[in-house]
Amino acid sequence: MLINFGTRAHNHNFASDFIVRSLLDTDWYKLAMLQFIWLHFRDVKVRFSLINRTRSVKLARIVDETELRRQLDNVRSLRLKRSEAVWLQGNTFYGQHGIFRPEFVAWLAGDVVLPDYTLSEEDGQWRLDFEGPWALVTLWEIHALSIINELKTRAALAGMTETELDILYARAKVRLWDKIERLRPVADLSLSDFGTRRRHSFLWQEYVVETMAAELGPRFIGTSNTYLAMKHDLEAIGTNAHELPTTVAALARTGDALLEAQYEVLRLWQETYGGAMLVFLPDTFGSTQFLRNAPDWVADWTGMRVDSKDPVAAGEEYIAWLERHGRDPREKRVLFSDGLDVGDILRLHETFGGRIRDGYGWGTLLTSDFRGCHPRNGQGLDPLSLVCKVTAVEVDAVWKGAVKLSDNYEKATGPASEVARYRAVFGTEGVANVPVLV
């Protein structure tokens, strides 16, 4: 894909250049989870909220409110196109045909409109909330994150000359090429793009995905971005995320139900999907307690995704757990996905290759690594630790704070009293305090 990024940015031709071009411009697992939610929890109401964990960056002083509202309003105007609906229903995902049921696709292609948002400024940050039926609000997460991140990018580019922009993108392309060159000799590698939510821009993500596919061939197994997978005939990658156990746990009325919520989600998930879709994410309330308390049938799942724990420790913990349960780790998959860069991928592959089927979801530092690329050492292009999480769930007509504990104390979210209550139930074994980059 030949794009003159410098000229395009310099022209500032953004009047009709919407950041989100399709409802499918989202992570594929949002759609898999959406069908799951639509089938099992469609009457549950939730609130998602934007959280900037990089507090030193005051987004409300960078991202213009009028433009932010225009971009958000555009998302509310989007509808699933007929060609997109046909692709969703007719395509094969993870080797399975018909993952998306006709009645679900018909609903999604109908009059689905994302709920309205509330936007205000609070201590230099944008307070952005989405509230309503879970099956609608969930779609906002990735769209909101990609909008905020690209508006931050556009603000940083606006003051640069055409020459500076040309140098910026030349350096970023060289950096991407250098990463590819380090990966090229590793023939048995398996990695995919997970970078939609914090991408530098839509066009840059598309460039990165096309370049990775062309240069790494079958080692680049696909992208989490559904729209790019459809457009470029790539595999759409993804399974499930923290919002499922976070929300189901918030619905629990007793301590025992709270502890069991993380497994109830898996029970319902395997009723809905199967095969390669059976990859669990254990760190919502702590990976160590999850594995210790998990029913034996969880060991029959295809694999585990590692997110907030030290990846070597998490991989070793999973292998040991599989062996205790009499399963051969070489037949299972571990997917690493938290803040990876090329050095991490190579180190982890050297550690786990041949012992377990290792894979890598490469996110922020694939699609938004412009660190040090500014020709005059300007600011504003470093990636943020920006998330959009379930923060409240309606239970018996009352809003109840939702909690994610994580394997990293720094990533915990929720009201302090609820976080303390959850930790009393789940414990803190294996939880560490680690600085958050992304």
Side-chain angles (χ1 to χ4, degrees):
M1 181 175 68
L2 296 177
I3 291 180
N4 190 323
F5 288 99
T7 297
R8 187 181 180 94
H10 182 262
N11 289 343
H12 307 303
N13 185 25
F14 300 139
S16 60
D17 194 1
F18 286 112
I19 292 168
V20 178
R21 297 128 190 269
S22 163
L23 284 179
L24 296 189
D25 183 16
T26 189
D27 284 340
W28 187 83
Y29 77 176
K30 294 302 293 188
L31 298 172
M33 290 192 296
L34 175 58
Q35 178 173 247
F36 174 85
I37 295 163
W38 182 80
L39 287 169
H40 302 291
F41 297 99
R42 71 178 69 181
D43 295 327
V44 171
K45 292 184 178 179
V46 302
R47 180 185 304 131
F48 272 71
S49 302
L50 185 76
I51 302 170
N52 181 12
R53 295 189 295 221
T54 311
R55 300 297 297 174
S56 60
V57 177
K58 304 295 185 181
L59 283 171
R61 298 169 188 169
I62 298 170
V63 173
D64 176 72
E65 178 178 356
T66 300
E67 182 61 15
L68 175 55
R69 289 185 182 275
R70 192 177 77 90
Q71 296 288 346
L72 294 169
D73 291 341
N74 171 65
V75 171
R76 298 196 70 229
S77 74
L78 295 175
R79 302 293 182 273
L80 194 72
K81 297 176 183 177
R82 183 181 303 175
S83 59
E84 295 171 335
V86 170
W87 182 81
L88 276 180
Q89 193 169 321
N91 200 32
T92 298
F93 301 100
Y94 284 92
Q96 302 176 52
H97 186 75
I99 277 184
F100 294 108
R101 305 182 185 191
E103 59 273 25
F104 166 73
V105 176
W107 169 78
L108 187 59
D111 295 326
V112 167
V113 179
L114 273 65
D116 206 351
Y117 57 88
T118 59
L119 178 66
S120 61
E121 182 180 348
E122 189 174 290
D123 190 29
Q125 303 291 348
W126 285 125
R127 172 71 185 268
L128 182 58
D129 297 300
F130 311 95
E131 190 175 295
W134 190 10
L136 296 177
V137 177
T138 185
L139 289 171
W140 265 121
E141 178 189 0
I142 308 301
H143 296 323
L145 291 173
S146 59
I147 285 171
I148 293 282
N149 277 291
E150 185 158 347
L151 288 180
K152 170 183 163 289
T153 293
R154 292 181 179 186
L157 301 182
M160 298 175 67
T161 67
E162 189 168 6
T163 300
E164 289 171 337
L165 291 164
D166 193 39
I167 298 300
L168 172 77
Y169 283 104
R171 287 179 173 179
K173 287 180 179 181
V174 169
R175 172 168 292 171
L176 175 62
W177 183 259
D178 287 344
K179 292 181 181 185
I180 291 172
E181 287 292 278
R182 293 181 65 186
L183 295 169
R184 201 186 299 278
V186 188
D188 58 344
L189 199 61
S190 174
L191 55 87
S192 56
D193 157 49
F194 271 24
T196 299
R197 66 186 57 221
R198 299 193 188 104
R199 65 193 182 196
H200 171 84
S201 69
F202 169 83
L203 289 175
W204 182 254
Q205 183 185 18
E206 185 172 30
Y207 172 81
V208 167
V209 166
E210 285 195 272
T211 302
M212 294 285 287
E215 296 300 328
L216 292 177
R219 283 167 288 186
F220 183 72
I221 62 173
T223 174
S224 67
N225 188 290
T226 313
Y227 180 77
L228 292 178
M230 180 184 70
K231 182 177 178 181
H232 297 288
D233 195 25
L234 296 168
E235 289 292 327
I237 304 297
T239 52
N240 54 74
H242 301 109
E243 71 175 276
L244 298 184
T246 295
T247 303
V248 175
L251 296 170
R253 290 174 169 81
T254 67
D256 289 343
L258 179 60
L259 187 64
E260 288 301 313
Q262 57 193 335
Y263 310 118
E264 174 65 9
V265 167
L266 300 192
R267 185 186 67 78
L268 291 172
W269 187 266
Q270 70 179 10
E271 285 182 7
T272 309
Y273 302 110
M277 291 285 287
L278 298 183
V279 175
F280 61 85
L281 177 65
D283 73 315
T284 306
F285 308 118
S287 297
T288 298
Q289 65 78 31
F290 177 97
L291 294 173
R292 182 180 61 247
N293 298 316
D296 186 70
W297 53 263
V298 177
D300 292 327
W301 276 42
T302 300
M304 180 182 89
R305 179 160 76 92
V306 175
D307 188 54
S308 59
K309 196 164 194 169
D310 174 84
V312 173
E316 296 292 357
E317 186 175 38
Y318 181 44
I319 288 173
W321 178 78
L322 287 169
E323 291 173 341
R324 287 197 302 273
H325 283 75
R327 273 56 165 196
D328 185 352
R330 293 171 298 179
E331 297 178 357
K332 300 295 184 179
R333 174 170 291 282
V334 61
L335 177 62
F336 298 100
S337 62
D338 183 30
L340 298 177
D341 205 353
V342 62
D344 305 304
I345 293 171
L346 292 171
R347 174 174 59 90
L348 290 167
H349 183 63
E350 184 177 354
T351 302
F352 292 105
R355 301 172 60 203
I356 192 169
R357 295 166 55 219
D358 57 316
Y360 303 89
W362 199 356
T364 305
L365 297 181
L366 176 64
T367 61
S368 191
D369 191 3
F370 283 70
R371 296 170 299 175
C373 290
H374 195 293
R376 301 190 191 280
N377 299 316
Q379 304 299 310
L381 290 170
D382 287 0
L384 299 178
S385 182
L386 188 68
V387 295
C388 187
K389 296 291 185 184
V390 178
T391 52
V393 179
E394 189 178 73
V395 182
D396 298 329
V398 176
W399 286 101
K400 180 180 176 182
V403 171
K404 174 180 173 250
L405 294 179
S406 178
D407 283 323
N408 184 350
Y409 286 111
E410 292 291 319
K411 288 188 173 183
T413 60
S417 59
E418 282 295 279
V419 168
R421 182 172 75 89
Y422 275 54
R423 284 185 174 145
V425 172
F426 293 102
T428 58
E429 185 182 355
V431 181
N433 201 354
V434 181
V436 177
L437 174 61
V438 294

